[in-house]
Amino acid sequence: MTTGFDEFDNRIHDLVERENECDDLFKDIKNGNGENSLRYFALRDACKELRKGIFRSAMSAGLTRESIKMEIKEVKGETIATNAK
């Protein structure tokens, strides 16, 4: 069971990294760097699909949507704290 949780945790970390990159690209686009728009759209769609996959697999394993959202928020908090240092 630990291996399944590790894979789930790795997927959440991957999602958070991709969403952070997507946010950065969006900021670049807002600042007039339009050549990043295609990369942004592709990454945004990949994040949506990855998020759906995480929710599906976690819910089939018996986790609730709230517990999944809390795990994602925790990882985002860790990532923000790490980047701030």
Side-chain angles (χ1 to χ4, degrees):
M1 184 67 186
T2 305
T3 336
F5 183 75
D6 288 342
E7 180 184 337
F8 177 68
D9 194 46
N10 289 340
R11 290 176 68 191
I12 289 177
H13 280 278
D14 187 38
L15 173 68
V16 169
E17 287 177 18
R18 287 182 185 196
E19 286 182 341
N20 287 340
E21 183 181 351
C22 196
D23 292 344
D24 291 342
L25 286 172
F26 185 73
K27 288 176 189 173
D28 283 348
I29 293 167
K30 280 178 47 177
N31 291 330
N33 198 358
E35 63 266 5
N36 287 334
S37 60
L38 293 177
R39 172 77 179 129
Y40 167 76
F41 290 127
L43 190 57
R44 182 194 65 185
D45 293 343
C47 287
K48 285 180 184 180
E49 289 303 313
L50 183 56
R51 185 178 280 270
K52 282 183 195 176
I54 289 171
F55 277 102
R56 281 188 204 125
S57 64
M59 291 177 72
S60 69
L63 297 172
T64 63
R65 286 181 93 53
E66 287 305 314
S67 64
I68 300 164
K69 287 180 183 179
M70 289 300 293
E71 182 69 25
I72 291 172
K73 283 182 183 179
E74 286 178 21
V75 172
K76 280 187 179 184
E78 291 171 9
T79 304
I80 291 170
T82 304
N83 290 341
K85 290 182 181 178

